Amino acid sequence: TSVISYIENMDWIKLNFPATMSVIKNLKIIEVPFERGLRENPNRAVDIQLPGFSWLRGISVDMASRRFDDLRPRSSEVMAKINQDWRLKNVMKLLTEVESVSGGQQMTLRSPFEIINKTSHALVLVTHPDPR
């Protein structure tokens, strides 16, 4: 039989099994050994890559925040078109929100646009897979 014991906040007890933590790697949740010193210097960050765009690196998930990140297309042709029009440059943003939920951190990625359909017709968004 297993015995579950609870300890007070900030107390510690020696584990009888190796400590692990859950991480997401290549879209799969895996358990990895807990890194010593993580508690003193958490510095938890996430790197994200959307299809067709360069990596967004070092998005901090340590505290609640909201920020806009620039999306940079991997295609130099598409990037040239964006650089020609300031309006397109302003559109190429990703809203990243980090909030505390149920004792953990939740990250939400959103477009800065909200589309509201005020017609009685169904609205379907279609994008072409070829950026050119």
Side-chain angles (χ1 to χ4, degrees), residues 16 22 46 63 65-66 82 109 121:
N16 58 5
S22 298
V46 175
M63 64 175 75
S65 64
R66 180 180 290 170
I82 290 169
L109 307 173
H121 305 286

Side-chain angles (χ1 to χ4, degrees), residues 35-93:
E35 299 170 19
R36 260 186 124 58
L38 186 64
R39 188 173 183 185
E40 293 84 22
N41 184 15
N43 245 355
R44 294 173 297 181
V46 175
D47 296 339
I48 297 171
Q49 184 181 32
L50 299 176
F53 294 92
S54 298
W55 282 91
L56 296 173
R57 301 214 181 263
I59 298 172
S60 176
V61 293
D62 284 332
M63 64 175 75
S65 64
R66 180 180 290 170
R67 71 184 227 184
F68 286 98
D69 289 295
D70 292 323
L71 291 174
R72 296 189 48 82
R74 293 175 65 197
S75 164
S76 57
E77 293 172 14
V78 174
M79 194 65 211
K81 287 180 184 179
I82 290 169
N83 285 334
Q84 291 173 0
D85 189 340
W86 63 269
R87 294 169 293 194
L88 291 176
K89 208 172 205 176
N90 288 343
V91 168
M92 300 304 292
K93 304 279 185 195

